[in-house]
Amino acid sequence: MENVIVIGIAGGTGSGKSTLIQRISEEFADRITMLSHDFYYKAHDEMTYEERCQLNYDHPDAIETDLMIEHVKALKEWKAVERPVYDFTVHNRKTDETVTVMPSKVVVVEGILIFENKALLDLFDIKVYVDTDADVRILRRILRDVKERGRTLESVVGQYLTTVKPMHEQFVEPSKKYADIIIPEGGFNTVALEMLTQRIHALLKEQ
């Protein structure tokens, strides 16, 4: 059985990480496995929508990282997993729904906090951090949350100032020191993107 190579891609919100992931997905399609930390936000069926809106979603405690660790370990053993489904429009997990994730030679795991957890960090063979100026990141976050997640401008800005920015400074930015590779601008950095995709191509060809 071939060894599975796990690539972790971290970086702050709006850093260009999602664009990098999208470009990689387009390049390799189903030849690699993609897994996002965002899928593992905890379920809060006991709360109202208004109460869920007040939660700090940028703190590590908001995510069921232990479950992701189990899933990454299973994928490294060539076992399929049933990952959760999360609905950002209602801030809750769909507890009656999962998606089957199949193993492959290369597994790409992405999320803003994936380098913060030591047990998860230790599962990555290659660690990539996407680094972008804070003013660019907030503008990208506003556009994403308003267009794709149905949020108001006021709620996005309020969340950024009260939780996103302080959590980035406390947890995300310090985790950059664990990266093997730092990519400015993420998927918008075509040179770095090409180097990373070439590395994945090489990994897929290795026996």
Side-chain angles (χ1 to χ4, degrees), residues 166-200:
M167 293 302 98
H168 177 86
E169 293 171 349
Q170 183 175 352
F171 296 109
V172 184
E173 184 71 22
S175 76
K176 180 167 64 174
K177 65 186 177 186
Y178 301 117
D180 302 306
I181 305 165
I182 296 176
I183 299 179
E185 294 295 325
F188 302 97
N189 187 328
T190 55
V191 174
L193 175 63
E194 183 177 355
M195 292 175 65
L196 185 56
T197 55
Q198 286 178 354
R199 178 59 177 147
I200 296 173

